[in-house]
Amino acid sequence: MIFYKITDGDCLIQGAFSKSSHPGIPVFFDNNGIIEVFSNYLIIKSIKSTDQATSVITYADQLLTFLRFLELKGNGITWRQVTDAHLVEFRDKKINSGLKSSYVAGVLRTVFDFYVWAELNKNIRHHIAIYNDDKEYAISALKTKTSWKWPHIPSSISKAKPTPTNEDLEKLHITTIQESEKVGVRDALIFTIYERSARRMEALQIKVSDIPDWDEIEEYLGSNKIFYVAVMGKGRRERDLELLPETMGLLREYIENERNEAVQAAKKRNKFYGEPTHLFVSSTTGKALNKQYISRRLSGLMKKAGVDGTGHRVRAKGLTDIVAAFDGFDYRGQPKSAQDVLIRAAEKAGHSNPQSLRYYLALSRSEGLAAKLNNVELLRSLELKVAILKKQVSRVDEASALFKAIINDVNVESELLSYLRNFFSKTDNL
């Protein structure tokens, strides 16, 4: 059985002059122990390339998918014996099972990249056709302008996913608050931070210590100032998330209520529990949320709200708003140049390539977006407060029969039992 585990902060890798900690690296194992060649490939991807930790985990998942395909084939086939025929069989089997061509293409690109790396690093020899000669090799290769590719990759063209509108996001926040007594506010706040262009890994970096106390929040409210939260963005570049005092107030309330309840419950269950420094935690374990959970959770909420896409598309709406905020007219009354808008927006959003935001500029201009960032976030904060208050009022209404029974001292036990049954039927285990 092949599997992988993720390194923690105790993983030390020897550099040229010193050792350094490298958490988040997938290490592959089988029944005989560590599989060095796959682990080394992922170490290189983690340390010496610009790939993010989340991308390296994706590479590990893709390699594992292919290796388990080999395991299920039987006949003792190892990765060193793989040929074009095996790759084609994998491609056709996965597509025929209903998987999207884009997913299968992604797996095969990673598998082929691994084989090229293994060939260049002499883990295998004369196995991949990257020698510009007429010899036959087990795995074909086609030269591109910058590298090599496997010539039989399936077409992975897919329709662009829609970007949610303001109406979509309002509906999403209401659904999220109503979905759970325990984590509704937490999840709605994560969506709000996504709307401020935060990536998943950036939102999960926020710590309790980043959230100011009430005195500082009140001070910023009075002076109309913005809070800045430093996070490590893509490409290991530090950037600031800008959050309004209203949003900080909601985050402070989450710390003192939902989060505190989760932490206190975890302390009662486990005397060795240590409260995490990170802001967003699980209601059942009290531990910091991980990237896989948050992706599943937010995608599920979007589906329940009837909003197409994933949490990443909520960030796309935030990027559109950022571009719209910098768009407009110059001092001469002329439309700003696309290049000027994209350069300023890219700096704000933490993008190294301004051209990567060109789609969002086109979307902004086609929809005639004029809302500024702060107005969008302020509106979202007010929507959250209204949704929370509505939730609280509904709980009072649900208890009205019980209050009436207590006042009149009639059927108190039966009304209490009815209320508790109704309450626990709505409580989830998230």
Side-chain angles (χ1 to χ4, degrees):
M1 179 68 176
I2 296 176
F3 62 97
Y4 70 81
K5 292 185 177 181
I6 307 297
T7 61
D8 57 21
D10 293 331
C11 174
L12 300 178
I13 295 180
Q14 179 69 55
F17 301 103
S18 64
K19 293 181 180 180
S20 56
S21 175
H22 286 280
I25 299 177
V27 177
F28 271 75
F29 295 84
D30 61 13
N31 294 334
N32 297 316
I34 294 177
I35 309 177
E36 291 189 5
V37 63
F38 292 104
S39 302
N40 289 340
Y41 169 75
L42 293 169
I43 288 173
I44 297 299
K45 282 289 184 182
S46 299
I47 298 173
K48 293 189 177 181
S49 74
T50 59
D51 296 82
Q52 294 300 299
T54 49
S55 298
V56 175
I57 297 297
T58 300
Y59 299 152
D61 288 335
Q62 292 170 333
L63 289 173
L64 186 61
T65 297
F66 182 72
L67 291 173
R68 287 187 173 168
F69 160 77
L70 295 180
E71 276 190 318
L72 290 175
K73 278 186 63 63
N75 300 324
I77 297 174
T78 71
W79 70 272
R80 295 178 183 276
Q81 299 168 311
V82 166
T83 66
D84 279 340
H86 297 112
L87 297 175
V88 169
E89 183 183 355
F90 173 85
R91 179 197 67 190
D92 295 345
K93 182 176 182 179
K94 293 300 181 182
I95 291 177
N96 291 336
S97 70
L99 291 174
K100 292 182 179 179
S101 295
S102 57
Y103 167 78
V104 178
V107 174
L108 287 169
R109 275 192 290 268
T110 298
V111 170
F112 181 76
D113 181 76
F114 162 76
Y115 275 101
V116 171
W117 173 87
E119 181 81 33
L120 294 174
N121 286 273
K122 301 181 181 180
N123 296 109
I124 49 177
R125 298 296 290 157
H126 303 291
H127 198 85
I128 317 293
I130 58 173
Y131 295 101
N132 291 319
D133 56 31
D134 296 328
K135 295 180 180 179
E136 291 189 4
Y137 295 87
I139 297 178
S140 304
L142 183 64
K143 183 69 174 177
T144 67
K145 289 183 179 181
T146 58
S147 60
W148 296 88
K149 71 175 184 179
W150 189 54
H152 310 298
I153 293 282
S155 173
S156 59
I157 298 174
S158 59
K159 295 181 179 179
K161 294 180 180 178
T163 298
T165 63
N166 278 324
E167 290 74 16
D168 288 333
L169 294 179
E170 181 179 355
K171 181 168 61 174
L172 176 60
H173 279 281
I174 291 173
T175 299
T176 300
I177 288 290
Q178 294 176 344
E179 174 67 11
S180 172
E181 294 281 350
K182 292 183 178 180
V183 296
V185 173
R186 180 200 71 185
D187 295 340
L189 286 169
I190 293 174
F191 276 127
T192 297
I193 292 172
Y194 271 31
E195 288 181 68
R196 295 299 280 180
S197 82
R199 298 177 177 87
R200 176 183 60 172
M201 63 177 181
E202 294 169 346
L204 294 183
Q205 286 178 38
I206 301 175
K207 295 180 171 57
V208 173
S209 59
D210 292 323
I211 310 305
D213 59 26
W214 286 113
D215 288 341
E216 190 174 0
I217 292 172
E218 291 294 333
E219 177 188 340
Y220 273 55
L221 280 168
S223 56
N224 199 27
K225 293 167 64 178
I226 293 176
F227 286 99
Y228 297 91
V229 177
V231 294
M232 188 64 68
K234 195 172 183 179
R236 302 181 187 274
R237 292 185 299 273
E238 189 172 285
R239 61 177 292 231
D240 289 328
L241 300 178
E242 296 183 358
L243 299 174
L244 290 181
E246 287 81 1
T247 302
M248 282 300 192
L250 289 169
L251 290 169
R252 173 51 57 186
E253 288 180 2
Y254 162 69
I255 291 171
E256 296 178 359
N257 294 289
E258 271 191 11
R259 188 183 189 281
N260 182 58
E261 290 176 6
V263 168
Q264 296 306 317
K267 287 180 178 178
K268 289 182 180 179
R269 288 192 301 268
N270 180 6
K271 65 179 180 179
F272 299 108
Y273 166 79
E275 180 179 348
T277 59
H278 292 86
L279 176 62
F280 296 114
V281 299
S282 164
S283 67
T284 55
T285 66
K287 295 181 179 179
L289 297 183
N290 60 56
K291 294 181 285 290
Q292 290 75 24
Y293 168 83
I294 198 174
S295 292
R296 292 194 304 270
R297 176 66 181 163
L298 299 190
S299 295
L301 287 168
M302 293 184 72
K303 184 177 181 180
K304 192 173 185 68
V307 177
D308 291 335
T310 63
H312 186 72
R313 302 314 301 165
V314 175
R315 180 176 184 265
K317 178 61 173 68
L319 290 173
T320 305
D321 290 339
I322 284 179
V323 173
F326 285 109
D327 200 10
F329 301 89
D330 62 20
Y331 68 95
R332 298 168 298 177
Q334 299 297 316
K336 292 180 179 178
S337 72
Q339 189 65 15
D340 287 344
V341 173
L342 293 175
I343 288 174
R344 297 180 66 192
E347 182 179 1
K348 176 71 68 176
H351 278 237
S352 59
N353 180 13
Q355 296 306 313
S356 65
L357 296 178
R358 185 169 287 280
Y359 164 79
Y360 301 106
L361 177 61
L363 181 62
S364 168
R365 289 180 172 178
S366 68
E367 293 183 352
L369 293 175
K372 299 300 181 182
L373 278 174
N374 291 358
N375 290 340
V376 171
E377 186 184 351
L378 180 59
L379 174 63
R380 200 71 65 228
S381 296
L382 292 174
E383 289 170 355
L384 273 175
K385 288 183 178 179
V386 170
I388 292 169
L389 289 173
K390 285 182 178 179
K391 189 71 174 179
Q392 293 171 345
V393 169
S394 69
R395 288 200 293 267
V396 173
D397 289 341
E398 291 170 359
S400 60
L402 175 60
F403 292 154
K404 185 175 180 180
I406 293 173
I407 293 172
N408 297 320
D409 196 21
V410 177
N411 297 327
V412 175
E413 291 185 0
S414 62
E415 288 295 343
L416 177 59
L417 183 60
S418 175
Y419 174 78
L420 291 175
R421 283 174 176 169
N422 182 55
F423 175 80
F424 286 114
S425 69
K426 294 182 178 181
T427 301
D428 55 42
N429 294 317
L430 298 173

